[in-house]
Amino acid sequence: MKNFTRIFGIAAFTLLVVWACKKEEAEIGTPYDKTAGMAGTWEVTAVALIDEQSVLKDEVNLSKYYLDTAMKISFSAAEMAYEVSEGSGVNFFGESGLWMFDDPTYPAYLYLINTSDTARDTITMEMGTTVNEYINNLDLKFPRTCGDAVVSSYRFSFTRK
């Protein structure tokens, strides 16, 4: 009888532990709207040139050339348009145009369609950070190619204004 009581007690305790460790399921919620997160004015805070051919991805800090008069980019979510307020440094973005993500839910690339010239050039920027209404930093990487190979990239860091 003692063995039965001991085995029953161990079995009851094991069942209690297994039942108590049951996995709880919670809802994550809806993802943030990335288009609304992109809306607003962004100011350049840092620029770096990255050697993509280097094993160590060597970088040269170009911020001093861009921060004398900081460039600003304004994105409109309603019209999906952008406008650049030029500052010091080279403007790779054009003066104005349209913008879009490769995937609105999980963007990896930002496309800037320059409409300020007669020819519509599309600039592809790699998203370095995720954007939403609560994140105030944005990193965009602009690759420079030679043939099919990416030889260098400019990384632009922006802060929401």
Side-chain angles (χ1 to χ4, degrees), residues 74-107:
S74 298
F75 293 96
S76 167
E79 295 89 27
M80 297 299 287
Y82 77 95
E83 188 174 323
V84 177
S85 300
E86 289 193 41
S88 53
V90 179
N91 177 5
F92 294 105
F93 307 103
E95 294 175 17
S96 62
L98 304 173
W99 68 275
M100 61 191 276
F101 291 126
D102 62 327
D103 180 357
T105 308
Y106 304 105

PDB file of all heavy atoms in Angstrom, residues 74-107:
ATOM      1  N   SER A  74      12.034  65.187 -46.890  1.00  0.00           N
ATOM      2  CA  SER A  74      10.658  65.136 -46.378  1.00  0.00           C
ATOM      3  C   SER A  74       9.873  64.103 -47.181  1.00  0.00           C
ATOM      4  O   SER A  74       9.855  64.158 -48.408  1.00  0.00           O
ATOM      5  CB  SER A  74       9.991  66.501 -46.498  1.00  0.00           C
ATOM      6  OG  SER A  74      10.684  67.451 -45.726  1.00  0.00           O
ATOM      7  N   PHE A  75       9.253  63.171 -46.479  1.00  0.00           N
ATOM      8  CA  PHE A  75       8.442  62.132 -47.100  1.00  0.00           C
ATOM      9  C   PHE A  75       6.980  62.370 -46.760  1.00  0.00           C
ATOM     10  O   PHE A  75       6.633  62.615 -45.614  1.00  0.00           O
ATOM     11  CB  PHE A  75       8.847  60.747 -46.593  1.00  0.00           C
ATOM     12  CG  PHE A  75      10.214  60.309 -47.008  1.00  0.00           C
ATOM     13  CD1 PHE A  75      11.301  60.476 -46.162  1.00  0.00           C
ATOM     14  CD2 PHE A  75      10.423  59.730 -48.245  1.00  0.00           C
ATOM     15  CE1 PHE A  75      12.562  60.068 -46.541  1.00  0.00           C
ATOM     16  CE2 PHE A  75      11.679  59.317 -48.633  1.00  0.00           C
ATOM     17  CZ  PHE A  75      12.754  59.496 -47.771  1.00  0.00           C
ATOM     18  N   SER A  76       6.125  62.293 -47.762  1.00  0.00           N
ATOM     19  CA  SER A  76       4.683  62.409 -47.577  1.00  0.00           C
ATOM     20  C   SER A  76       4.066  61.029 -47.760  1.00  0.00           C
ATOM     21  O   SER A  76       4.294  60.367 -48.769  1.00  0.00           O
ATOM     22  CB  SER A  76       4.101  63.389 -48.600  1.00  0.00           C
ATOM     23  OG  SER A  76       2.700  63.283 -48.616  1.00  0.00           O
ATOM     24  N   ALA A  77       3.290  60.590 -46.777  1.00  0.00           N
ATOM     25  CA  ALA A  77       2.634  59.286 -46.868  1.00  0.00           C
ATOM     26  C   ALA A  77       1.401  59.353 -47.752  1.00  0.00           C
ATOM     27  O   ALA A  77       1.062  58.379 -48.427  1.00  0.00           O
ATOM     28  CB  ALA A  77       2.268  58.780 -45.479  1.00  0.00           C
ATOM     29  N   ALA A  78       0.725  60.494 -47.778  1.00  0.00           N
ATOM     30  CA  ALA A  78      -0.512  60.620 -48.555  1.00  0.00           C
ATOM     31  C   ALA A  78      -0.237  60.583 -50.056  1.00  0.00           C
ATOM     32  O   ALA A  78      -0.886  59.848 -50.795  1.00  0.00           O
ATOM     33  CB  ALA A  78      -1.243  61.908 -48.180  1.00  0.00           C
ATOM     34  N   GLU A  79       0.727  61.370 -50.514  1.00  0.00           N
ATOM     35  CA  GLU A  79       1.027  61.431 -51.954  1.00  0.00           C
ATOM     36  C   GLU A  79       2.150  60.485 -52.360  1.00  0.00           C
ATOM     37  O   GLU A  79       2.460  60.374 -53.538  1.00  0.00           O
ATOM     38  CB  GLU A  79       1.435  62.864 -52.354  1.00  0.00           C
ATOM     39  CG  GLU A  79       0.348  63.896 -52.219  1.00  0.00           C
ATOM     40  CD  GLU A  79       0.339  64.519 -50.835  1.00  0.00           C
ATOM     41  OE1 GLU A  79       1.388  64.561 -50.176  1.00  0.00           O
ATOM     42  OE2 GLU A  79      -0.731  64.954 -50.411  1.00  0.00           O
ATOM     43  N   MET A  80       2.792  59.847 -51.366  1.00  0.00           N
ATOM     44  CA  MET A  80       3.962  58.993 -51.621  1.00  0.00           C
ATOM     45  C   MET A  80       5.021  59.788 -52.398  1.00  0.00           C
ATOM     46  O   MET A  80       5.617  59.304 -53.337  1.00  0.00           O
ATOM     47  CB  MET A  80       3.574  57.714 -52.357  1.00  0.00           C
ATOM     48  CG  MET A  80       2.638  56.814 -51.587  1.00  0.00           C
ATOM     49  SD  MET A  80       3.291  56.224 -50.024  1.00  0.00           S
ATOM     50  CE  MET A  80       4.483  55.035 -50.570  1.00  0.00           C
ATOM     51  N   ALA A  81       5.227  61.033 -51.972  1.00  0.00           N
ATOM     52  CA  ALA A  81       6.178  61.933 -52.621  1.00  0.00           C
ATOM     53  C   ALA A  81       7.270  62.300 -51.625  1.00  0.00           C
ATOM     54  O   ALA A  81       7.077  62.220 -50.413  1.00  0.00           O
ATOM     55  CB  ALA A  81       5.473  63.191 -53.120  1.00  0.00           C
ATOM     56  N   TYR A  82       8.427  62.676 -52.152  1.00  0.00           N
ATOM     57  CA  TYR A  82       9.508  63.142 -51.304  1.00  0.00           C
ATOM     58  C   TYR A  82      10.093  64.411 -51.899  1.00  0.00           C
ATOM     59  O   TYR A  82       9.961  64.687 -53.085  1.00  0.00           O
ATOM     60  CB  TYR A  82      10.594  62.070 -51.130  1.00  0.00           C
ATOM     61  CG  TYR A  82      11.509  61.900 -52.309  1.00  0.00           C
ATOM     62  CD1 TYR A  82      12.739  62.560 -52.358  1.00  0.00           C
ATOM     63  CD2 TYR A  82      11.178  61.069 -53.374  1.00  0.00           C
ATOM     64  CE1 TYR A  82      13.591  62.413 -53.446  1.00  0.00           C
ATOM     65  CE2 TYR A  82      12.020  60.914 -54.454  1.00  0.00           C
ATOM     66  CZ  TYR A  82      13.227  61.577 -54.483  1.00  0.00           C
ATOM     67  OH  TYR A  82      14.065  61.429 -55.555  1.00  0.00           O
ATOM     68  N   GLU A  83      10.736  65.195 -51.040  1.00  0.00           N
ATOM     69  CA  GLU A  83      11.381  66.430 -51.461  1.00  0.00           C
ATOM     70  C   GLU A  83      12.658  66.584 -50.650  1.00  0.00           C
ATOM     71  O   GLU A  83      12.675  66.332 -49.452  1.00  0.00           O
ATOM     72  CB  GLU A  83      10.458  67.611 -51.219  1.00  0.00           C
ATOM     73  CG  GLU A  83      10.967  68.903 -51.795  1.00  0.00           C
ATOM     74  CD  GLU A  83       9.950  70.016 -51.669  1.00  0.00           C
ATOM     75  OE1 GLU A  83       8.747  69.745 -51.820  1.00  0.00           O
ATOM     76  OE2 GLU A  83      10.382  71.146 -51.402  1.00  0.00           O
ATOM     77  N   VAL A  84      13.730  67.011 -51.329  1.00  0.00           N
ATOM     78  CA  VAL A  84      15.028  67.158 -50.689  1.00  0.00           C
ATOM     79  C   VAL A  84      15.354  68.635 -50.521  1.00  0.00           C
ATOM     80  O   VAL A  84      15.254  69.411 -51.470  1.00  0.00           O
ATOM     81  CB  VAL A  84      16.131  66.462 -51.527  1.00  0.00           C
ATOM     82  CG1 VAL A  84      17.502  66.680 -50.910  1.00  0.00           C
ATOM     83  CG2 VAL A  84      15.836  64.980 -51.672  1.00  0.00           C
ATOM     84  N   SER A  85      15.744  69.011 -49.307  1.00  0.00           N
ATOM     85  CA  SER A  85      16.299  70.337 -49.044  1.00  0.00           C
ATOM     86  C   SER A  85      17.809  70.154 -49.024  1.00  0.00           C
ATOM     87  O   SER A  85      18.363  69.601 -48.070  1.00  0.00           O
ATOM     88  CB  SER A  85      15.828  70.876 -47.696  1.00  0.00           C
ATOM     89  OG  SER A  85      14.441  70.982 -47.671  1.00  0.00           O
ATOM     90  N   GLU A  86      18.447  70.555 -50.098  1.00  0.00           N
ATOM     91  CA  GLU A  86      19.872  70.295 -50.244  1.00  0.00           C
ATOM     92  C   GLU A  86      20.685  71.011 -49.187  1.00  0.00           C
ATOM     93  O   GLU A  86      20.349  72.102 -48.748  1.00  0.00           O
ATOM     94  CB  GLU A  86      20.348  70.715 -51.639  1.00  0.00           C
ATOM     95  CG  GLU A  86      19.844  69.789 -52.717  1.00  0.00           C
ATOM     96  CD  GLU A  86      20.559  70.005 -54.035  1.00  0.00           C
ATOM     97  OE1 GLU A  86      21.785  70.190 -54.013  1.00  0.00           O
ATOM     98  OE2 GLU A  86      19.880  69.980 -55.060  1.00  0.00           O
ATOM     99  N   GLY A  87      21.750  70.378 -48.807  1.00  0.00           N
ATOM    100  CA  GLY A  87      22.719  70.943 -47.888  1.00  0.00           C
ATOM    101  C   GLY A  87      24.093  70.775 -48.493  1.00  0.00           C
ATOM    102  O   GLY A  87      24.240  70.639 -49.717  1.00  0.00           O
ATOM    103  N   SER A  88      25.097  70.775 -47.657  1.00  0.00           N
ATOM    104  CA  SER A  88      26.444  70.535 -48.166  1.00  0.00           C
ATOM    105  C   SER A  88      26.605  69.046 -48.471  1.00  0.00           C
ATOM    106  O   SER A  88      25.876  68.208 -47.967  1.00  0.00           O
ATOM    107  CB  SER A  88      27.479  71.007 -47.147  1.00  0.00           C
ATOM    108  OG  SER A  88      27.220  70.437 -45.886  1.00  0.00           O
ATOM    109  N   GLY A  89      27.537  68.694 -49.305  1.00  0.00           N
ATOM    110  CA  GLY A  89      27.735  67.303 -49.711  1.00  0.00           C
ATOM    111  C   GLY A  89      26.974  66.982 -50.979  1.00  0.00           C
ATOM    112  O   GLY A  89      26.142  67.754 -51.445  1.00  0.00           O
ATOM    113  N   VAL A  90      27.262  65.836 -51.541  1.00  0.00           N
ATOM    114  CA  VAL A  90      26.649  65.412 -52.796  1.00  0.00           C
ATOM    115  C   VAL A  90      25.242  64.886 -52.533  1.00  0.00           C
ATOM    116  O   VAL A  90      25.019  64.087 -51.627  1.00  0.00           O
ATOM    117  CB  VAL A  90      27.496  64.301 -53.471  1.00  0.00           C
ATOM    118  CG1 VAL A  90      26.861  63.830 -54.761  1.00  0.00           C
ATOM    119  CG2 VAL A  90      28.913  64.791 -53.720  1.00  0.00           C
ATOM    120  N   ASN A  91      24.298  65.331 -53.348  1.00  0.00           N
ATOM    121  CA  ASN A  91      22.912  64.894 -53.248  1.00  0.00           C
ATOM    122  C   ASN A  91      22.686  63.766 -54.255  1.00  0.00           C
ATOM    123  O   ASN A  91      22.613  64.003 -55.446  1.00  0.00           O
ATOM    124  CB  ASN A  91      21.962  66.061 -53.523  1.00  0.00           C
ATOM    125  CG  ASN A  91      20.508  65.646 -53.497  1.00  0.00           C
ATOM    126  OD1 ASN A  91      20.182  64.513 -53.191  1.00  0.00           O
ATOM    127  ND2 ASN A  91      19.645  66.567 -53.835  1.00  0.00           N
ATOM    128  N   PHE A  92      22.557  62.546 -53.752  1.00  0.00           N
ATOM    129  CA  PHE A  92      22.298  61.385 -54.607  1.00  0.00           C
ATOM    130  C   PHE A  92      20.805  61.136 -54.786  1.00  0.00           C
ATOM    131  O   PHE A  92      20.403  60.256 -55.526  1.00  0.00           O
ATOM    132  CB  PHE A  92      22.933  60.130 -54.009  1.00  0.00           C
ATOM    133  CG  PHE A  92      24.425  60.155 -53.980  1.00  0.00           C
ATOM    134  CD1 PHE A  92      25.113  60.366 -52.796  1.00  0.00           C
ATOM    135  CD2 PHE A  92      25.151  59.973 -55.143  1.00  0.00           C
ATOM    136  CE1 PHE A  92      26.490  60.388 -52.768  1.00  0.00           C
ATOM    137  CE2 PHE A  92      26.530  59.994 -55.122  1.00  0.00           C
ATOM    138  CZ  PHE A  92      27.200  60.204 -53.926  1.00  0.00           C
ATOM    139  N   PHE A  93      19.960  61.894 -54.084  1.00  0.00           N
ATOM    140  CA  PHE A  93      18.531  61.617 -54.021  1.00  0.00           C
ATOM    141  C   PHE A  93      17.705  62.362 -55.057  1.00  0.00           C
ATOM    142  O   PHE A  93      16.539  62.060 -55.238  1.00  0.00           O
ATOM    143  CB  PHE A  93      18.007  61.959 -52.626  1.00  0.00           C
ATOM    144  CG  PHE A  93      18.775  61.300 -51.521  1.00  0.00           C
ATOM    145  CD1 PHE A  93      19.698  62.018 -50.785  1.00  0.00           C
ATOM    146  CD2 PHE A  93      18.589  59.964 -51.227  1.00  0.00           C
ATOM    147  CE1 PHE A  93      20.416  61.417 -49.774  1.00  0.00           C
ATOM    148  CE2 PHE A  93      19.303  59.350 -50.216  1.00  0.00           C
ATOM    149  CZ  PHE A  93      20.224  60.084 -49.489  1.00  0.00           C
ATOM    150  N   GLY A  94      18.269  63.371 -55.698  1.00  0.00           N
ATOM    151  CA  GLY A  94      17.491  64.210 -56.601  1.00  0.00           C
ATOM    152  C   GLY A  94      16.773  65.289 -55.806  1.00  0.00           C
ATOM    153  O   GLY A  94      16.891  65.369 -54.584  1.00  0.00           O
ATOM    154  N   GLU A  95      16.032  66.143 -56.493  1.00  0.00           N
ATOM    155  CA  GLU A  95      15.332  67.237 -55.816  1.00  0.00           C
ATOM    156  C   GLU A  95      13.987  66.810 -55.252  1.00  0.00           C
ATOM    157  O   GLU A  95      13.599  67.223 -54.166  1.00  0.00           O
ATOM    158  CB  GLU A  95      15.125  68.402 -56.782  1.00  0.00           C
ATOM    159  CG  GLU A  95      16.406  69.065 -57.209  1.00  0.00           C
ATOM    160  CD  GLU A  95      16.162  70.138 -58.251  1.00  0.00           C
ATOM    161  OE1 GLU A  95      15.004  70.585 -58.402  1.00  0.00           O
ATOM    162  OE2 GLU A  95      17.128  70.514 -58.915  1.00  0.00           O
ATOM    163  N   SER A  96      13.255  66.003 -56.003  1.00  0.00           N
ATOM    164  CA  SER A  96      11.929  65.567 -55.560  1.00  0.00           C
ATOM    165  C   SER A  96      11.508  64.371 -56.388  1.00  0.00           C
ATOM    166  O   SER A  96      12.131  64.035 -57.378  1.00  0.00           O
ATOM    167  CB  SER A  96      10.906  66.693 -55.703  1.00  0.00           C
ATOM    168  OG  SER A  96      10.784  67.057 -57.058  1.00  0.00           O
ATOM    169  N   GLY A  97      10.421  63.754 -55.962  1.00  0.00           N
ATOM    170  CA  GLY A  97       9.907  62.616 -56.710  1.00  0.00           C
ATOM    171  C   GLY A  97       8.932  61.801 -55.891  1.00  0.00           C
ATOM    172  O   GLY A  97       8.335  62.275 -54.932  1.00  0.00           O
ATOM    173  N   LEU A  98       8.793  60.564 -56.286  1.00  0.00           N
ATOM    174  CA  LEU A  98       7.894  59.615 -55.630  1.00  0.00           C
ATOM    175  C   LEU A  98       8.726  58.567 -54.904  1.00  0.00           C
ATOM    176  O   LEU A  98       9.858  58.296 -55.296  1.00  0.00           O
ATOM    177  CB  LEU A  98       6.990  58.951 -56.654  1.00  0.00           C
ATOM    178  CG  LEU A  98       6.153  59.894 -57.517  1.00  0.00           C
ATOM    179  CD1 LEU A  98       5.430  59.123 -58.602  1.00  0.00           C
ATOM    180  CD2 LEU A  98       5.163  60.674 -56.660  1.00  0.00           C
ATOM    181  N   TRP A  99       8.156  57.955 -53.891  1.00  0.00           N
ATOM    182  CA  TRP A  99       8.869  56.913 -53.163  1.00  0.00           C
ATOM    183  C   TRP A  99       7.950  55.739 -52.891  1.00  0.00           C
ATOM    184  O   TRP A  99       6.737  55.871 -52.864  1.00  0.00           O
ATOM    185  CB  TRP A  99       9.459  57.451 -51.866  1.00  0.00           C
ATOM    186  CG  TRP A  99       8.449  57.831 -50.825  1.00  0.00           C
ATOM    187  CD1 TRP A  99       7.794  59.026 -50.734  1.00  0.00           C
ATOM    188  CD2 TRP A  99       7.973  57.032 -49.752  1.00  0.00           C
ATOM    189  NE1 TRP A  99       6.944  59.015 -49.663  1.00  0.00           N
ATOM    190  CE2 TRP A  99       7.039  57.813 -49.035  1.00  0.00           C
ATOM    191  CE3 TRP A  99       8.247  55.745 -49.316  1.00  0.00           C
ATOM    192  CZ2 TRP A  99       6.388  57.332 -47.909  1.00  0.00           C
ATOM    193  CZ3 TRP A  99       7.595  55.269 -48.201  1.00  0.00           C
ATOM    194  CH2 TRP A  99       6.681  56.054 -47.511  1.00  0.00           C
ATOM    195  N   MET A 100       8.571  54.586 -52.694  1.00  0.00           N
ATOM    196  CA  MET A 100       7.819  53.380 -52.356  1.00  0.00           C
ATOM    197  C   MET A 100       8.761  52.344 -51.754  1.00  0.00           C
ATOM    198  O   MET A 100       9.978  52.419 -51.932  1.00  0.00           O
ATOM    199  CB  MET A 100       7.114  52.801 -53.587  1.00  0.00           C
ATOM    200  CG  MET A 100       8.055  52.395 -54.700  1.00  0.00           C
ATOM    201  SD  MET A 100       7.236  52.007 -56.240  1.00  0.00           S
ATOM    202  CE  MET A 100       6.770  50.334 -55.993  1.00  0.00           C
ATOM    203  N   PHE A 101       8.189  51.402 -51.017  1.00  0.00           N
ATOM    204  CA  PHE A 101       8.939  50.287 -50.460  1.00  0.00           C
ATOM    205  C   PHE A 101       8.821  49.088 -51.392  1.00  0.00           C
ATOM    206  O   PHE A 101       7.844  48.958 -52.132  1.00  0.00           O
ATOM    207  CB  PHE A 101       8.389  49.872 -49.097  1.00  0.00           C
ATOM    208  CG  PHE A 101       8.608  50.869 -48.002  1.00  0.00           C
ATOM    209  CD1 PHE A 101       7.552  51.333 -47.254  1.00  0.00           C
ATOM    210  CD2 PHE A 101       9.881  51.328 -47.697  1.00  0.00           C
ATOM    211  CE1 PHE A 101       7.746  52.231 -46.225  1.00  0.00           C
ATOM    212  CE2 PHE A 101      10.089  52.229 -46.678  1.00  0.00           C
ATOM    213  CZ  PHE A 101       9.013  52.680 -45.934  1.00  0.00           C
ATOM    214  N   ASP A 102       9.783  48.178 -51.308  1.00  0.00           N
ATOM    215  CA  ASP A 102       9.664  46.928 -52.054  1.00  0.00           C
ATOM    216  C   ASP A 102       8.559  46.065 -51.463  1.00  0.00           C
ATOM    217  O   ASP A 102       7.868  45.352 -52.168  1.00  0.00           O
ATOM    218  CB  ASP A 102      11.000  46.170 -52.087  1.00  0.00           C
ATOM    219  CG  ASP A 102      11.479  45.754 -50.703  1.00  0.00           C
ATOM    220  OD1 ASP A 102      11.221  46.485 -49.723  1.00  0.00           O
ATOM    221  OD2 ASP A 102      12.140  44.701 -50.602  1.00  0.00           O
ATOM    222  N   ASP A 103       8.369  46.120 -50.145  1.00  0.00           N
ATOM    223  CA  ASP A 103       7.312  45.397 -49.448  1.00  0.00           C
ATOM    224  C   ASP A 103       6.811  46.310 -48.321  1.00  0.00           C
ATOM    225  O   ASP A 103       7.563  46.582 -47.386  1.00  0.00           O
ATOM    226  CB  ASP A 103       7.849  44.086 -48.872  1.00  0.00           C
ATOM    227  CG  ASP A 103       6.808  43.281 -48.133  1.00  0.00           C
ATOM    228  OD1 ASP A 103       5.652  43.743 -48.004  1.00  0.00           O
ATOM    229  OD2 ASP A 103       7.150  42.180 -47.660  1.00  0.00           O
ATOM    230  N   PRO A 104       5.583  46.810 -48.399  1.00  0.00           N
ATOM    231  CA  PRO A 104       5.105  47.764 -47.397  1.00  0.00           C
ATOM    232  C   PRO A 104       5.072  47.218 -45.968  1.00  0.00           C
ATOM    233  O   PRO A 104       5.176  47.971 -45.020  1.00  0.00           O
ATOM    234  CB  PRO A 104       3.692  48.107 -47.853  1.00  0.00           C
ATOM    235  CG  PRO A 104       3.631  47.720 -49.280  1.00  0.00           C
ATOM    236  CD  PRO A 104       4.607  46.597 -49.463  1.00  0.00           C
ATOM    237  N   THR A 105       4.929  45.910 -45.807  1.00  0.00           N
ATOM    238  CA  THR A 105       4.859  45.335 -44.478  1.00  0.00           C
ATOM    239  C   THR A 105       6.245  45.101 -43.889  1.00  0.00           C
ATOM    240  O   THR A 105       6.494  45.394 -42.726  1.00  0.00           O
ATOM    241  CB  THR A 105       4.083  44.000 -44.506  1.00  0.00           C
ATOM    242  OG1 THR A 105       2.831  44.227 -45.159  1.00  0.00           O
ATOM    243  CG2 THR A 105       3.832  43.487 -43.109  1.00  0.00           C
ATOM    244  N   TYR A 106       7.168  44.565 -44.695  1.00  0.00           N
ATOM    245  CA  TYR A 106       8.526  44.273 -44.247  1.00  0.00           C
ATOM    246  C   TYR A 106       9.517  44.854 -45.254  1.00  0.00           C
ATOM    247  O   TYR A 106      10.125  44.115 -46.046  1.00  0.00           O
ATOM    248  CB  TYR A 106       8.746  42.763 -44.117  1.00  0.00           C
ATOM    249  CG  TYR A 106       7.754  42.108 -43.200  1.00  0.00           C
ATOM    250  CD1 TYR A 106       6.708  41.333 -43.702  1.00  0.00           C
ATOM    251  CD2 TYR A 106       7.834  42.272 -41.827  1.00  0.00           C
ATOM    252  CE1 TYR A 106       5.788  40.734 -42.864  1.00  0.00           C
ATOM    253  CE2 TYR A 106       6.921  41.680 -40.976  1.00  0.00           C
ATOM    254  CZ  TYR A 106       5.904  40.906 -41.508  1.00  0.00           C
ATOM    255  OH  TYR A 106       4.998  40.320 -40.663  1.00  0.00           O
ATOM    256  N   PRO A 107       9.699  46.175 -45.254  1.00  0.00           N
ATOM    257  CA  PRO A 107      10.548  46.777 -46.286  1.00  0.00           C
ATOM    258  C   PRO A 107      12.031  46.474 -46.087  1.00  0.00           C
ATOM    259  O   PRO A 107      12.553  46.566 -44.980  1.00  0.00           O
ATOM    260  CB  PRO A 107      10.274  48.266 -46.145  1.00  0.00           C
ATOM    261  CG  PRO A 107       9.829  48.444 -44.740  1.00  0.00           C
ATOM    262  CD  PRO A 107       9.125  47.178 -44.364  1.00  0.00           C
TER     263      PRO A 107
END
